[in-house]
Coordinates of all heavy atoms in Angstrom, one line a residue:
Y15 N 13.0 0.3 -27.8 CA 13.4 1.0 -26.6 C 14.9 0.9 -26.4 O 15.5 0.0 -26.9 CB 12.7 0.4 -25.4 CG 12.7 -1.1 -25.3 CD1 13.8 -1.8 -24.8 CD2 11.6 -1.9 -25.7 CE1 13.8 -3.2 -24.8 CE2 11.6 -3.2 -25.6 CZ 12.7 -3.9 -25.2 OH 12.7 -5.3 -25.1
P16 N 15.5 1.8 -25.6 CA 16.9 1.7 -25.4 C 17.3 0.5 -24.6 O 16.5 0.1 -23.7 CB 17.2 3.0 -24.6 CG 15.9 3.6 -24.2 CD 14.8 2.9 -25.0
K17 N 18.4 -0.2 -25.0 CA 18.7 -1.4 -24.4 C 19.4 -1.1 -23.0 O 20.1 -0.1 -22.8 CB 19.6 -2.2 -25.3 CG 21.1 -2.3 -24.9 CD 21.9 -3.2 -25.8 CE 22.8 -4.1 -24.9 NZ 23.6 -3.4 -23.9
A18 N 19.2 -2.1 -22.1 CA 19.9 -1.9 -20.8 C 21.4 -2.3 -20.9 O 21.8 -3.0 -21.8 CB 19.3 -2.9 -19.8
H19 N 22.2 -1.6 -20.1 CA 23.7 -1.9 -20.1 C 24.1 -2.7 -18.9 O 23.9 -2.2 -17.7 CB 24.4 -0.6 -20.1 CG 24.2 0.2 -21.4 ND1 24.8 -0.1 -22.6 CD2 23.4 1.2 -21.6 CE1 24.4 0.8 -23.5 NE2 23.5 1.6 -23.0
V20 N 24.6 -3.8 -19.1 CA 24.9 -4.7 -18.0 C 26.0 -4.1 -17.1 O 26.0 -4.3 -15.9 CB 25.4 -6.1 -18.5 CG1 25.9 -7.0 -17.4 CG2 24.2 -6.8 -19.1
L21 N 26.9 -3.3 -17.7 CA 28.0 -2.7 -16.9 C 27.7 -1.3 -16.5 O 28.6 -0.6 -15.9 CB 29.3 -2.8 -17.7 CG 29.7 -4.3 -18.0 CD1 31.1 -4.3 -18.7 CD2 29.7 -5.2 -16.8
Q22 N 26.5 -0.8 -16.7 CA 26.1 0.5 -16.3 C 24.8 0.5 -15.6 O 23.8 0.7 -16.2 CB 26.0 1.5 -17.5 CG 27.4 1.9 -18.1 CD 27.2 2.6 -19.4 OE1 26.2 3.3 -19.6 NE2 28.0 2.3 -20.4
P23 N 24.8 0.1 -14.3 CA 23.6 0.0 -13.6 C 22.9 1.4 -13.5 O 23.5 2.4 -13.5 CB 24.0 -0.4 -12.2 CG 25.4 -0.2 -12.1 CD 26.0 -0.2 -13.5
P24 N 21.5 1.4 -13.7 CA 20.8 2.7 -13.8 C 20.9 3.5 -12.5 O 20.9 4.7 -12.6 CB 19.4 2.2 -14.0 CG 19.3 0.8 -13.5 CD 20.6 0.2 -13.7
R25 N 21.0 2.9 -11.4 CA 21.2 3.6 -10.1 C 22.3 3.0 -9.3 O 22.4 1.8 -9.2 CB 19.9 3.6 -9.3 CG 18.7 4.3 -10.0 CD 18.7 5.8 -9.9 NE 18.7 6.3 -8.6 CZ 17.6 6.9 -8.0 NH1 16.5 6.8 -8.6 NH2 17.8 7.4 -6.8
V26 N 23.2 3.8 -8.8 CA 24.2 3.3 -7.9 C 24.1 3.9 -6.5 O 25.0 3.7 -5.6 CB 25.7 3.5 -8.4 CG1 25.9 2.6 -9.7 CG2 25.9 4.9 -8.8
D27 N 23.1 4.8 -6.3 CA 23.0 5.5 -5.1 C 22.0 4.9 -4.1 O 21.9 5.3 -2.9 CB 22.6 7.0 -5.3 CG 21.3 7.1 -6.2 OD1 20.9 6.0 -6.8 OD2 20.8 8.2 -6.3
V28 N 21.3 3.8 -4.5 CA 20.2 3.2 -3.7 C 20.3 1.7 -3.9 O 20.7 1.2 -5.0 CB 18.8 3.8 -4.0 CG1 18.7 5.2 -3.5 CG2 18.5 3.7 -5.5
L29 N 19.7 1.0 -2.9 CA 19.6 -0.5 -3.0 C 18.5 -0.8 -4.0 O 17.4 -0.4 -3.9 CB 19.3 -1.1 -1.7 CG 19.3 -2.6 -1.6 CD1 20.7 -3.2 -1.7 CD2 18.7 -3.1 -0.3
L30 N 18.8 -1.7 -5.0 CA 17.8 -2.0 -6.0 C 17.2 -3.4 -5.9 O 16.3 -3.8 -6.6 CB 18.5 -1.9 -7.4 CG 19.0 -0.5 -7.8 CD1 19.5 -0.6 -9.3 CD2 17.9 0.5 -7.7
M31 N 17.8 -4.2 -4.9 CA 17.3 -5.5 -4.8 C 17.4 -6.0 -3.3 O 18.4 -5.7 -2.7 CB 18.3 -6.4 -5.6 CG 17.8 -7.8 -5.9 SD 16.5 -7.7 -7.2 CE 17.4 -8.2 -8.6
T32 N 16.4 -6.6 -2.8 CA 16.5 -7.2 -1.5 C 17.4 -8.4 -1.5 O 17.7 -8.9 -2.6 CB 15.1 -7.6 -0.9 OG1 14.7 -8.8 -1.7 CG2 14.1 -6.5 -1.1
P33 N 17.9 -8.8 -0.3 CA 18.7 -10.1 -0.3 C 18.0 -11.3 -0.8 O 18.6 -12.3 -1.0 CB 19.1 -10.2 1.2 CG 18.9 -8.8 1.8 CD 17.8 -8.2 1.0
W34 N 16.6 -11.3 -0.9 CA 15.9 -12.4 -1.4 C 15.5 -12.1 -2.9 O 14.6 -12.8 -3.4 CB 14.7 -12.8 -0.6 CG 13.7 -11.7 -0.3 CD1 12.6 -11.4 -1.1 CD2 13.7 -10.7 0.7 NE1 11.9 -10.3 -0.6 CE2 12.6 -9.9 0.5 CE3 14.5 -10.4 1.8 CZ2 12.3 -8.8 1.4 CZ3 14.2 -9.4 2.6 CH2 13.1 -8.6 2.4
F35 N 16.2 -11.2 -3.5 CA 16.0 -10.9 -4.9 C 14.6 -10.4 -5.3 O 14.1 -10.8 -6.3 CB 16.4 -12.1 -5.8 CG 17.9 -12.1 -6.0 CD1 18.5 -13.3 -6.6 CD2 18.7 -11.1 -5.7 CE1 19.8 -13.3 -6.8 CE2 20.1 -11.1 -5.9 CZ 20.7 -12.3 -6.5
A36 N 14.1 -9.6 -4.5 CA 12.9 -8.8 -4.9 C 13.4 -7.4 -5.3 O 14.1 -6.8 -4.5 CB 11.9 -8.7 -3.7
P37 N 12.9 -6.9 -6.4 CA 13.3 -5.6 -6.8 C 12.8 -4.5 -5.9 O 11.6 -4.6 -5.4 CB 12.8 -5.4 -8.3 CG 11.8 -6.5 -8.4 CD 12.1 -7.6 -7.4
I38 N 13.6 -3.5 -5.7 CA 13.1 -2.3 -4.9 C 12.9 -1.2 -6.0 O 13.8 -1.0 -6.8 CB 14.1 -1.8 -3.9 CG1 14.4 -3.0 -3.0 CG2 13.6 -0.7 -3.1 CD1 15.5 -2.7 -1.9
I39 N 11.7 -0.7 -6.0 CA 11.2 0.1 -7.2 C 11.6 1.6 -7.0 O 11.1 2.3 -6.1 CB 9.7 0.0 -7.4 CG1 9.3 -1.5 -7.3 CG2 9.3 0.6 -8.8 CD1 10.0 -2.4 -8.3
W40 N 12.6 2.1 -7.8 CA 13.0 3.5 -7.8 C 12.9 4.1 -9.2 O 13.0 3.3 -10.2 CB 14.5 3.6 -7.3 CG 14.8 3.1 -6.0 CD1 15.2 1.9 -5.6 CD2 14.9 4.0 -4.8 NE1 15.5 1.9 -4.3 CE2 15.3 3.1 -3.7 CE3 14.6 5.3 -4.5 CZ2 15.5 3.6 -2.4 CZ3 14.8 5.8 -3.2 CH2 15.2 4.9 -2.2
D41 N 12.7 5.4 -9.2 CA 12.7 6.0 -10.5 C 14.1 5.8 -11.3 O 15.1 5.7 -10.7 CB 12.6 7.6 -10.3 CG 12.6 8.3 -11.6 OD1 11.8 8.0 -12.5 OD2 13.4 9.2 -11.8
G42 N 13.9 5.6 -12.6 CA 15.1 5.3 -13.4 C 15.5 3.9 -13.6 O 16.5 3.6 -14.3
T43 N 14.8 3.0 -12.9 CA 15.2 1.6 -12.9 C 14.3 0.7 -13.8 O 14.6 -0.5 -14.0 CB 15.1 0.9 -11.5 OG1 13.8 1.0 -11.0 CG2 16.1 1.7 -10.6
Y44 N 13.2 1.3 -14.4 CA 12.3 0.5 -15.1 C 11.8 1.2 -16.4 O 11.9 2.4 -16.4 CB 11.1 0.0 -14.3 CG 10.3 1.2 -13.7 CD1 9.3 1.8 -14.5 CD2 10.6 1.8 -12.5 CE1 8.5 2.8 -14.0 CE2 9.9 2.9 -12.0 CZ 8.8 3.4 -12.8 OH 8.1 4.5 -12.3
D45 N 11.2 0.5 -17.3 CA 10.7 1.1 -18.5 C 9.2 0.8 -18.6 O 8.7 -0.3 -18.7 CB 11.4 0.4 -19.7 CG 11.0 1.0 -21.1 OD1 9.8 1.5 -21.2 OD2 11.8 1.0 -22.0
S46 N 8.5 1.9 -18.4 CA 7.0 1.8 -18.3 C 6.4 1.2 -19.6 O 5.3 0.5 -19.5 CB 6.4 3.2 -18.0 OG 6.4 3.4 -16.7
A47 N 7.0 1.4 -20.7 CA 6.4 0.9 -22.0 C 6.4 -0.6 -22.0 O 5.4 -1.2 -22.3 CB 7.2 1.5 -23.2
I48 N 7.5 -1.2 -21.5 CA 7.6 -2.6 -21.5 C 6.6 -3.2 -20.4 O 5.9 -4.1 -20.6 CB 9.0 -3.1 -21.1 CG1 10.0 -2.5 -22.1 CG2 9.1 -4.6 -21.1 CD1 11.5 -2.8 -21.7
L49 N 6.6 -2.6 -19.2 CA 5.7 -3.0 -18.2 C 4.2 -2.9 -18.6 O 3.4 -3.8 -18.3 CB 6.0 -2.2 -16.9 CG 7.3 -2.6 -16.2 CD1 7.7 -1.5 -15.2 CD2 7.1 -3.9 -15.4
D50 N 3.9 -1.8 -19.2 CA 2.5 -1.6 -19.6 C 2.1 -2.7 -20.6 O 1.0 -3.2 -20.6 CB 2.3 -0.2 -20.3 CG 2.2 0.9 -19.2 OD1 1.8 0.6 -18.1 OD2 2.5 2.1 -19.5
A51 N 3.0 -3.1 -21.5 CA 2.7 -4.2 -22.4 C 2.6 -5.5 -21.7 O 1.7 -6.3 -22.0 CB 3.8 -4.3 -23.5
Q52 N 3.4 -5.7 -20.7 CA 3.3 -7.0 -19.9 C 2.0 -7.1 -19.1 O 1.5 -8.2 -18.9 CB 4.5 -7.0 -18.9 CG 5.8 -7.4 -19.5 CD 6.8 -7.7 -18.4 OE1 7.1 -6.8 -17.6 NE2 7.4 -8.9 -18.4
F53 N 1.6 -5.9 -18.6 CA 0.4 -5.9 -17.7 C -0.9 -5.5 -18.5 O -1.8 -5.1 -17.8 CB 0.6 -5.0 -16.5 CG 1.5 -5.7 -15.5 CD1 2.9 -5.5 -15.5 CD2 1.0 -6.5 -14.5 CE1 3.7 -6.1 -14.6 CE2 1.8 -7.0 -13.5 CZ 3.2 -6.9 -13.6
R54 N -0.9 -5.5 -19.8 CA -2.1 -5.1 -20.5 C -3.2 -6.2 -20.1 O -2.8 -7.4 -19.8 CB -1.9 -5.0 -22.0 CG -1.9 -6.3 -22.7 CD -1.4 -6.1 -24.2 NE -1.5 -7.3 -24.9 CZ -0.7 -8.4 -24.6 NH1 0.3 -8.3 -23.7 NH2 -0.8 -9.5 -25.3
N55 N -4.4 -5.8 -20.1 CA -5.5 -6.7 -19.7 C -5.5 -7.1 -18.3 O -5.9 -8.2 -17.9 CB -5.5 -8.0 -20.6 CG -5.9 -7.7 -22.0 OD1 -6.7 -6.8 -22.2 ND2 -5.4 -8.5 -22.9
T56 N -4.9 -6.3 -17.5 CA -4.8 -6.5 -16.0 C -5.9 -5.5 -15.4 O -5.9 -4.4 -15.8 CB -3.4 -6.2 -15.4 OG1 -2.5 -7.0 -16.1 CG2 -3.4 -6.5 -13.9
T57 N -6.6 -6.0 -14.4 CA -7.6 -5.2 -13.7 C -7.0 -5.0 -12.3 O -6.7 -6.0 -11.6 CB -9.0 -5.8 -13.7 OG1 -9.4 -6.0 -15.0 CG2 -10.0 -4.8 -13.0
I58 N -7.0 -3.8 -11.9 CA -6.4 -3.4 -10.5 C -7.5 -2.9 -9.7 O -8.3 -2.0 -10.0 CB -5.3 -2.4 -10.7 CG1 -4.2 -2.9 -11.6 CG2 -4.7 -2.0 -9.3 CD1 -4.1 -2.2 -12.9
G59 N -7.7 -3.4 -8.5 CA -8.6 -2.9 -7.5 C -7.9 -2.1 -6.5 O -6.8 -2.5 -5.9
L60 N -8.4 -0.9 -6.3 CA -7.7 0.0 -5.3 C -8.7 0.2 -4.1 O -9.8 0.7 -4.3 CB -7.4 1.4 -5.9 CG -6.8 2.5 -5.0 CD1 -5.5 2.0 -4.4 CD2 -6.6 3.8 -5.8
T61 N -8.3 -0.4 -3.0 CA -9.2 -0.4 -1.8 C -8.8 0.8 -0.9 O -7.7 1.0 -0.6 CB -9.2 -1.6 -0.9 OG1 -7.8 -1.8 -0.4 CG2 -9.6 -2.9 -1.7
V62 N -9.8 1.6 -0.6 CA -9.6 2.8 0.3 C -10.7 2.9 1.3 O -11.9 2.8 0.9 CB -9.3 4.0 -0.6 CG1 -10.5 4.4 -1.4 CG2 -8.9 5.2 0.3
F63 N -10.3 3.1 2.5 CA -11.3 3.3 3.6 C -11.6 4.8 3.8 O -10.6 5.6 3.9 CB -10.9 2.6 4.9 CG -11.0 1.1 4.8 CD1 -10.0 0.4 4.2 CD2 -12.0 0.5 5.4 CE1 -10.0 -1.0 4.1 CE2 -12.1 -0.9 5.4 CZ -11.1 -1.6 4.7
A64 N -12.8 5.1 3.9 CA -13.2 6.5 4.3 C -14.3 6.4 5.3 O -15.5 6.5 4.9 CB -13.6 7.3 3.1
I65 N -14.0 6.3 6.5 CA -14.9 6.1 7.6 C -15.1 7.4 8.4 O -14.1 8.1 8.7 CB -14.4 5.0 8.6 CG1 -14.0 3.7 7.8 CG2 -15.5 4.6 9.6 CD1 -15.0 2.7 7.5
K66 N -16.3 7.7 8.7 CA -16.6 8.9 9.4 C -16.0 10.1 8.7 O -16.2 10.3 7.5 CB -16.1 8.8 10.9 CG -16.9 7.7 11.6 CD -16.6 7.7 13.1 CE -15.6 6.6 13.5 NZ -15.5 6.4 15.0
K67 N -15.3 11.0 9.5 CA -14.9 12.3 8.9 C -13.9 12.1 7.7 O -13.7 13.1 6.9 CB -14.3 13.2 9.9 CG -15.3 13.8 10.9 CD -14.6 14.8 11.8 CE -15.6 15.3 12.9 NZ -15.0 16.1 13.9
Y68 N -13.3 11.0 7.6 CA -12.3 10.8 6.5 C -12.9 10.8 5.1 O -12.1 10.8 4.2 CB -11.5 9.5 6.8 CG -10.3 9.7 7.8 CD1 -10.6 10.2 9.1 CD2 -9.0 9.4 7.5 CE1 -9.5 10.4 10.0 CE2 -8.0 9.6 8.4 CZ -8.3 10.0 9.6 OH -7.2 10.2 10.5
V69 N -14.2 10.9 5.0 CA -14.8 11.0 3.7 C -14.3 12.3 3.0 O -14.3 12.4 1.8 CB -16.3 11.0 3.6 CG1 -16.8 9.6 3.9 CG2 -16.9 12.0 4.6
V70 N -13.9 13.3 3.8 CA -13.5 14.6 3.2 C -12.2 14.4 2.3 O -11.9 15.2 1.5 CB -13.2 15.7 4.2 CG1 -14.4 16.0 5.1 CG2 -12.0 15.3 5.1
F71 N -11.4 13.3 2.6 CA -10.2 13.1 1.8 C -10.5 12.5 0.4 O -9.6 12.5 -0.4 CB -9.2 12.2 2.6 CG -8.7 12.8 3.8 CD1 -9.1 12.4 5.1 CD2 -7.8 13.9 3.8 CE1 -8.5 12.9 6.2 CE2 -7.3 14.5 4.9 CZ -7.6 14.0 6.2
L72 N -11.7 12.0 0.2 CA -11.9 11.2 -1.0 C -11.8 12.0 -2.3 O -11.2 11.5 -3.3 CB -13.3 10.6 -1.0 CG -13.5 9.3 -0.1 CD1 -14.9 8.9 0.0 CD2 -12.7 8.2 -0.8
K73 N -12.2 13.2 -2.3 CA -12.2 14.0 -3.5 C -10.8 14.1 -4.1 O -10.6 13.8 -5.3 CB -12.9 15.4 -3.3 CG -13.1 16.2 -4.6 CD -13.9 17.4 -4.3 CE -14.3 18.1 -5.6 NZ -13.1 18.9 -6.1
L74 N -9.9 14.6 -3.3 CA -8.5 14.8 -3.8 C -7.9 13.5 -4.1 O -7.1 13.3 -5.1 CB -7.7 15.6 -2.7 CG -6.3 16.0 -3.1 CD1 -6.4 17.0 -4.3 CD2 -5.6 16.7 -2.0
F75 N -8.1 12.5 -3.2 CA -7.6 11.2 -3.5 C -8.0 10.6 -4.8 O -7.1 10.2 -5.6 CB -8.0 10.2 -2.3 CG -7.6 8.8 -2.5 CD1 -6.4 8.4 -1.9 CD2 -8.3 7.9 -3.2 CE1 -5.9 7.1 -2.1 CE2 -7.9 6.6 -3.4 CZ -6.6 6.2 -2.8
L76 N -9.3 10.7 -5.1 CA -9.8 10.1 -6.4 C -9.3 11.0 -7.6 O -9.0 10.5 -8.6 CB -11.3 10.0 -6.4 CG -11.9 9.0 -5.4 CD1 -13.4 9.1 -5.2 CD2 -11.5 7.6 -5.9
E77 N -9.4 12.3 -7.4 CA -9.0 13.2 -8.6 C -7.5 13.0 -8.9 O -7.2 12.9 -10.1 CB -9.2 14.7 -8.2 CG -10.7 15.1 -8.3 CD -10.9 16.5 -7.7 OE1 -9.9 17.1 -7.1 OE2 -12.0 17.0 -7.8
T78 N -6.7 12.8 -7.9 CA -5.3 12.6 -8.2 C -5.0 11.2 -8.7 O -4.1 11.0 -9.5 CB -4.4 13.0 -7.0 OG1 -4.8 12.2 -5.9 CG2 -4.5 14.5 -6.7
A79 N -5.8 10.2 -8.2 CA -5.7 8.9 -8.7 C -6.0 8.8 -10.2 O -5.4 8.1 -11.0 CB -6.5 7.9 -7.9
E80 N -7.0 9.6 -10.6 CA -7.3 9.6 -12.0 C -6.2 10.1 -12.9 O -6.0 9.8 -14.0 CB -8.6 10.5 -12.3 CG -9.9 9.7 -11.9 CD -10.1 8.5 -12.8 OE1 -10.3 8.6 -14.0 OE2 -10.0 7.4 -12.3

Side-chain angles (χ1 to χ4, degrees):
Y15 47 79
K17 105 173 229 311
H19 296 279
V20 171
L21 302 184
Q22 286 166 39
R25 297 283 299 258
V26 291
D27 52 347
V28 288
L29 186 70
L30 297 185
M31 197 73 102
T32 70
W34 57 93
F35 276 170
I38 306 177
I39 315 302
W40 296 92
D41 180 53
T43 61
Y44 61 87
D45 184 330
S46 276
I48 304 175
L49 285 160
D50 281 336
Q52 283 190 301
F53 283 91
R54 81 190 181 290
N55 292 327
T56 302
T57 306
I58 302 109
L60 178 57
T61 61
V62 63
F63 286 79
I65 313 272
K66 296 190 259 191
K67 288 185 183 173
Y68 276 57
V69 289
V70 301
F71 293 111
L72 278 171
K73 187 167 185 286
L74 187 62
F75 178 90
L76 291 169
E77 281 171 354
T78 57
E80 280 300 292

